[in-house]
């Protein structure tokens, strides 16, 4: 018979004696670090944001475990694991190894934080912004003199793994499975509108035309203009550049349009630089959409609180050109702006 006093008895008889003598293996409890007390450089390098304490204050009621049984994770640990995943996009088991927890525990933590952040989507993502409309227009006007702008719009593709259902719908023009995300921002890189639910094969113009914001703009509910690239039809409330500008006012118009609209490209670059998980999401499309929305909320929190920007990574413009035919009913508005503002 094996000795019943060793840590790992190898036969049944030794195990029985060990239970009778109440000889249990000593439980190893690792000390929990107070991550929120770490210096800002450490927090930014690991979590891509410094305001971890502020985010924890917001999410605490939604992510706190209701039980302390089995030394359940604290809300701080749950948040930090999720932020670490968003920041570097590692496999879940890499996060688990670093935090000394199982892969399933990390998965549950990320999911819990995602759902909590979705509660704050309407709070931090608001069109045309938290500032008065006049202030939004003035900030855009200071960039290149383009008048009456309340937002810049663009689409960006977030790569995902091939889904098990409707796989072909998610293949974009680059033959990559993705979610096509509509982003609208203000002049300060704050995201004011996000549509994260469409497969990669859907065109930017359709995402906008199907959105509730398009209907609000078309009905005149919001006073102002959106600036978009040539992937969108030119509409009275969504102005695109001249496809073949003539020398003079039209060229000046396109230069000002491009300089102003570049804010949305910079915003998308900041979002993807801050949250490396958006380089490739290895989850289902439904969960990928939740992750994207969570990252947008975190991005806005960081911008509003004036945190430092990560190194900017601007990708090549994803301009999906299509023939819009008779839907270019915004050309009159475009010509009017060109003549009155850039014709001198």
């Amino acid at each position: 018979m094996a000795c019943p006093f060793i840590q790992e008895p190898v036969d049944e008889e030794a195990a029985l004696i060990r239970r009778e003598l109440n000889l249990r293996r000593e439980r190893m409890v690792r000390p929990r670090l107070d991550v929120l007390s770490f210096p800002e450089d450490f927090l930014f390098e690991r979590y891509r944001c410094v305001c971890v304490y502020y985010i924890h204050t917001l999410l605490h009621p939604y992510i706190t475990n209701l039980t302390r049984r089995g030394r359940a994770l604290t809300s701080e640990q749950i948040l930090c694991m999720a932020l670490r995943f968003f920041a570097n996009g590692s496999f879940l088991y890499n996060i688990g190894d670093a935090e000394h927890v199982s892969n399933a525990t990390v998965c549950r933590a990320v999911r819990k934080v995602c759902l909590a952040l979705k509660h704050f989507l309407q709070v931090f993502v608001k069109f045309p912004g938290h500032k008065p409309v006049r202030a939004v227009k003035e900030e855009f006007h200071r960039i290149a003199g383009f008048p009456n702008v309340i937002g810049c719009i663009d689409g960006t593709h977030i790569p995902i793994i091939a889904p098990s259902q409707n796989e072909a719908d998610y293949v974009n023009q680059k033959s990559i499975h993705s979610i096509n995300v509509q982003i609208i921002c203000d002049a300060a890189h704050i995201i004011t509108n996000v549509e994260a639910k469409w497969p990669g094969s859907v065109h930017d113009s359709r995402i906008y035309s199907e959105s509730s914001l398009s209907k609000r703009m078309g009905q005149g509910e919001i006073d102002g203009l959106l600036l978009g690239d040539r992937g969108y039809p030119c509409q009275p409330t969504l102005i695109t550049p001249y496809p073949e500008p003539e020398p003079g006012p039209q060229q000046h118009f396109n230069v000002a349009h491009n300089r102003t609209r570049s804010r949305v490209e910079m915003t998308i670059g900041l979002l993807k630089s801050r949250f490396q998980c958006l380089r490739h999401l290895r989850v289902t499309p439904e969960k990928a959409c939740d992750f994207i929305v969570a990252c947008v909320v975190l991005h806005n929190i960081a911008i509003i609180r004036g945190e430092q920007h990560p190194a900017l990574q601007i990708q090549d413009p994803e301009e999906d050109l299509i023939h819009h035919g008779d839907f270019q009913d915004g050309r009159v508005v475009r010509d009017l702006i060109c003549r009155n503002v850039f014709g001198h």
Side-chain angles (χ1 to χ4, degrees):
M1 183 184 76
C3 176
F5 298 99
I6 64 175
Q7 290 286 346
E8 299 290 346
V10 294
D11 59 39
E12 185 176 353
E13 191 173 355
L16 287 172
I17 295 175
R18 185 175 178 82
R19 282 199 296 270
E20 287 296 325
L21 296 176
N22 198 27
L23 296 175
R24 298 182 179 178
R25 183 172 55 186
E26 182 181 357
R27 188 171 185 180
M28 298 295 295
V29 180
R30 295 182 177 87
R32 290 177 172 171
L33 300 176
D34 182 11
V35 178
L36 303 185
S37 66
F38 285 6
E40 291 187 356
D41 290 344
F42 174 88
L43 294 176
F44 184 81
E45 181 181 357
R46 178 167 291 195
Y47 305 120
R48 284 296 187 271
C49 59
V50 176
C51 56
V52 180
Y53 182 81
Y54 173 78
I55 298 170
H56 176 260
T57 303
L58 290 176
L59 304 188
H60 179 266
Y62 301 94
I63 64 177
T64 301
N65 283 313
L66 300 179
T67 177
R68 298 294 299 167
R69 207 166 150 189
R71 285 186 60 83
L73 293 176
T74 64
S75 55
E76 292 91 342
Q77 287 178 303
I78 292 172
L79 174 62
C80 288
M81 279 191 287
L83 291 179
R84 193 165 187 175
F85 169 76
F86 294 145
N88 58 39
S90 297
F91 286 97
L92 293 179
Y93 66 78
N94 287 341
I95 307 295
D97 290 346
E99 301 289 343
H100 307 295
V101 296
S102 67
N103 184 54
T105 299
V106 179
C107 184
R108 287 192 295 268
V110 173
R111 181 66 177 164
K112 184 176 289 190
V113 172
C114 274
L115 295 179
L117 286 167
K118 286 182 68 176
H119 284 94
F120 293 92
L121 177 62
Q122 303 302 323
V123 176
F124 288 101
V125 182
K126 181 181 179 182
F127 187 84
H130 297 89
K131 304 173 185 176
V133 174
R134 180 178 179 180
V136 174
K137 293 180 179 180
E138 288 176 352
E139 289 182 356
F140 273 119
H141 186 267
R142 284 197 291 268
I143 297 174
F146 210 102
N148 208 30
V149 178
I150 57 173
C152 297
I153 183 172
D154 202 359
T156 186
H157 289 269
I158 306 299
I160 62 172
I161 60 173
S164 57
Q165 297 181 346
N166 303 318
E167 180 263 345
D169 293 343
Y170 291 88
V171 180
N172 60 27
Q173 288 188 340
K174 297 182 180 179
S175 300
I176 298 173
H177 297 88
S178 67
I179 301 291
N180 194 358
V181 183
Q182 174 181 287
I183 297 288
I184 301 177
C185 74
D186 66 9
H189 306 296
I190 296 175
I191 296 174
T192 56
N193 178 267
V194 58
E195 291 280 343
K197 62 182 180 181
W198 292 90
S201 63
V202 179
H203 194 274
D204 293 352
S205 60
R206 182 188 169 190
I207 296 176
Y208 176 70
S209 65
E210 296 283 343
S211 67
S212 59
L213 179 61
S214 173
K215 297 176 178 59
R216 292 173 61 194
M217 294 288 290
Q219 293 170 359
E221 182 179 336
I222 305 173
D223 175 40
L225 302 174
L226 294 176
L227 299 187
D229 60 26
R230 289 182 297 164
Y232 296 93
C234 188
Q235 301 176 0
T237 56
L238 199 169
I239 303 300
T240 60
Y242 285 97
E244 297 178 357
E246 298 177 358
Q250 291 188 4
Q251 283 187 341
H252 299 325
F253 175 97
N254 273 16
V255 170
H257 185 285
N258 184 62
R259 286 180 56 193
T260 307
R261 195 189 65 81
S262 65
R263 286 302 168 104
V264 69
E265 295 175 354
M266 295 174 64
T267 299
I268 293 171
L270 287 172
L271 176 68
K272 291 184 175 181
S273 298
R274 190 181 298 275
F275 302 111
Q276 296 289 309
C277 69
L278 298 180
R279 292 180 302 177
H280 189 265
L281 291 171
R282 294 173 284 270
V283 293
T284 63
E286 293 76 17
K287 289 184 179 179
C289 294
D290 289 341
F291 287 2
I292 294 166
V293 168
C295 289
V296 167
V297 173
L298 291 171
H299 166 88
N300 276 5
I301 291 174
I303 296 295
I304 291 171
R305 294 182 63 84
E307 295 206 356
Q308 61 177 307
H309 295 326
L312 188 60
Q313 299 175 0
I314 299 180
Q315 300 178 344
D316 294 333
E318 299 171 359
E319 197 171 278
D320 298 334
L321 300 181
I322 60 173
H323 179 64
H324 296 288
D326 298 330
F327 297 102
Q328 303 278 359
D329 56 357
R331 287 177 293 186
V332 174
V333 177
R334 182 171 63 189
D335 291 341
L336 188 64
I337 296 173
C338 181
R339 182 170 60 253
N340 292 343
V341 179
F342 301 100
H344 303 292

